[in-house]
Amino acid sequence: MTDAQDSDCEDFHSSHGRDYDTFVQETAGIHRLYEAGVPFFTKEQLRDLSRQLKEAENSEKRDVLIKGLEGTEETFEVRTGVTRAGSEPGTEWVLKAPAIEYRTFGFLTSYRAYQMDGYSDLSLRVLHYMELRDEITKELRPGFRYVVDSVKTINDSFTTSIQSWEASESYTQLQIIESRENLPPITKIVALALGTMQPRSIENWDHRSEFQHALALTLRRIVSKCQGETADKIECFAQDPAYTALDKSILEKYEITCLEDPDAFVEIDDSTIVLTFAPDVPVRQIVADIARPAMMIWNTCEDEIWLHNGREQFM
C-alpha cells in the first residue's frame, strides 16, 4: 500500500471517530516536519540501529533504543529464540531474529494506524516475526519450512533462470545502456528485497527471485563494459531478511555480498544502482531521504497513487 493510500484515501472515506480531533492535533507535528523537508530516515539513524541490533544479538545487553522524530524515545527488547504456545496442539511459536519496521509519513499520519496503536513519531521500530514448529522435534511446520534444501538444486535452477533471462527480449532491450554517453560513474549495485530463491512450495515455485538476481548480474556486466572495467571492480550488495544460508552461499559464488538489514541502505550513494521489485518495505521513501542514486529500477504499479509533494516522486 502506498503512502497516499495510507494517509489520504482512508481518512477521506472514513467516518471520523470521537478521537479524530485528538489524532489531528497529535500528528500535526509530523505534518510540519514532512512539509519542512525533514528526512524521516537518515544514514546516521540506520547505522546506529544496526550497531545496537548487532550488540543485542551478541551480548547480554538486549535492549535497543530508538528516538522518534519529535524527541520521544522507546526501548525494544530483543527476544530471539523465545517461545510461546502454538496455535495447534503439540506446537510452539518461536521468535526469529529481530526485523526492522520502516514507518513512513503516510503510516505515521494514518488515522487507521492511530486507532490501532495511538500516536507515534517513530519512523523505525523493531519487531520479531514468528515461526510455528513442533514442540518436541523443533521441526518447522508446513508453510514455515522450505521444501528444497539442496544447494545443487537451487544453484542449477538459478543457472537455468540466468540462461532464460539472457535469451529474453527484456535482456536484449537492457543492452541499450551500453550506448548511453552520459552514464554517471557506477561503483556499486544494491539489490533490496529480491527474495529468497528457496521455495516453500514446489507448486508455487515461480523463480522470480532468480530472474531478479540475474538482472543484477547483467547490470554489473554491462556497466563494467561501459566503464572499461572488470566486473569485480563494481561491488554488488543484496539485502533481504528472507535470505537463507543457502541463498547467501550461492550469491557469494557470484560475488554478491549479502548484508543484514539496514546495512545495504547505508551503502547507497550517488554512484549506486538500486534494484527493488514489489518490496514489503518502503524502499523508495527511504532512498529518497538518504541518497540520490545514479539509477533506480523498480516495478511500476498501474493503480499507484502518488503522494502530493511526496519526495520520492522526484527521484
Side-chain angles (χ1 to χ4, degrees):
M1 181 173 289
T2 65
D3 273 358
Q5 288 172 314
D6 267 346
S7 61
D8 297 340
C9 295
E10 71 177 52
D11 290 345
F12 181 80
H13 295 294
S14 66
S15 57
H16 297 158
R18 55 185 171 79
D19 59 349
Y20 183 76
D21 289 341
T22 303
F23 156 75
V24 172
Q25 294 172 7
E26 291 189 342
T27 58
I30 302 294
H31 281 273
R32 286 193 295 269
L33 291 172
Y34 185 81
E35 291 163 3
V38 174
F40 281 36
F41 308 98
T42 68
K43 287 190 176 183
E44 180 182 7
Q45 169 201 43
L46 296 176
R47 287 191 187 99
D48 180 65
L49 179 55
S50 175
R51 175 189 59 78
Q52 290 193 68
L53 287 173
K54 289 180 174 64
E55 289 179 355
E57 285 288 295
N58 299 304
S59 69
E60 294 182 359
K61 182 180 179 298
R62 309 292 287 176
D63 292 339
V64 173
L65 177 66
I66 297 180
K67 297 181 180 179
L69 297 166
E70 295 193 287
T72 67
E73 294 184 347
E74 191 165 339
T75 300
F76 299 89
E77 181 184 3
V78 174
R79 298 181 294 158
T80 305
V82 172
T83 60
R84 60 184 60 172
S87 54
E88 304 170 9
T91 65
E92 64 183 7
W93 291 104
V94 58
L95 301 189
K96 299 172 62 177
I100 301 173
E101 180 184 28
Y102 297 90
R103 296 145 64 91
T104 63
F105 166 77
F107 181 90
L108 294 177
T109 56
S110 162
Y111 187 42
R112 182 185 304 165
Y114 179 85
Q115 288 177 308
M116 294 177 60
D117 299 324
Y119 163 78
S120 175
D121 66 342
L122 299 180
S123 59
L124 298 174
R125 292 189 70 204
V126 175
L127 50 81
H128 286 278
Y129 292 112
M130 299 189 297
E131 292 179 322
L132 189 65
R133 68 187 187 185
D134 186 279
E135 191 174 17
I136 304 299
T137 66
K138 309 303 181 185
E139 181 182 7
L140 293 177
R141 300 290 294 164
F144 291 90
R145 62 172 180 254
Y146 298 102
V147 296
V148 178
D149 57 7
S150 164
V151 174
K152 183 181 186 305
T153 300
I154 299 297
N155 190 62
D156 288 348
S157 179
F158 186 30
T159 300
T160 300
S161 293
I162 292 174
Q163 294 169 347
S164 297
W165 156 246
E166 292 180 347
S168 70
E169 179 63 25
S170 296
Y171 173 85
T172 302
Q173 293 173 353
L174 194 63
Q175 310 308 307
I176 195 173
I177 294 177
E178 293 186 20
S179 62
R180 287 190 56 177
E181 297 179 356
N182 60 340
L183 188 70
I186 304 297
T187 63
K188 65 185 80 168
I189 295 171
V190 173
L192 299 162
L194 300 192
T196 175
M197 292 185 282
Q198 281 191 266
R200 294 185 188 274
S201 165
I202 295 296
E203 293 76 15
N204 297 321
W205 192 0
D206 59 16
H207 307 279
R208 279 184 294 182
S209 175
E210 298 168 8
F211 283 103
Q212 291 168 10
H213 286 97
L215 170 59
L217 297 175
T218 298
L219 284 170
R220 182 172 61 183
R221 185 168 61 251
I222 291 175
V223 173
S224 296
K225 183 177 180 181
C226 291
Q227 297 182 164
E229 299 175 347
T230 57
D232 60 1
K233 289 189 177 181
I234 296 179
E235 296 180 286
C236 196
F237 299 105
Q239 173 184 292
D240 195 320
Y243 282 149
T244 64
L246 189 151
D247 290 314
K248 295 175 182 178
S249 68
I250 291 176
L251 294 176
E252 183 180 6
K253 296 177 183 176
Y254 290 89
E255 298 184 330
I256 296 177
T257 302
C258 294
L259 298 178
E260 297 300 321
D261 192 12
D263 295 342
F265 284 115
V266 177
E267 289 289 341
I268 299 172
D269 57 25
D270 59 4
S271 65
T272 303
I273 296 177
V274 178
L275 299 179
T276 189
F277 303 98
D280 57 2
V281 294
V283 171
R284 288 179 316 197
Q285 291 90 331
I286 298 168
V287 173
D289 273 354
I290 65 176
R292 285 295 181 268
M295 186 186 304
M296 190 164 178
I297 302 175
W298 69 77
N299 61 306
T300 301
C301 300
E302 293 182 359
D303 60 349
E304 185 168 18
I305 303 173
W306 288 101
L307 251 185
H308 177 61
N309 287 335
R311 288 189 286 267
E312 68 275 8
Q313 69 175 301
F314 298 108
M315 295 188 62

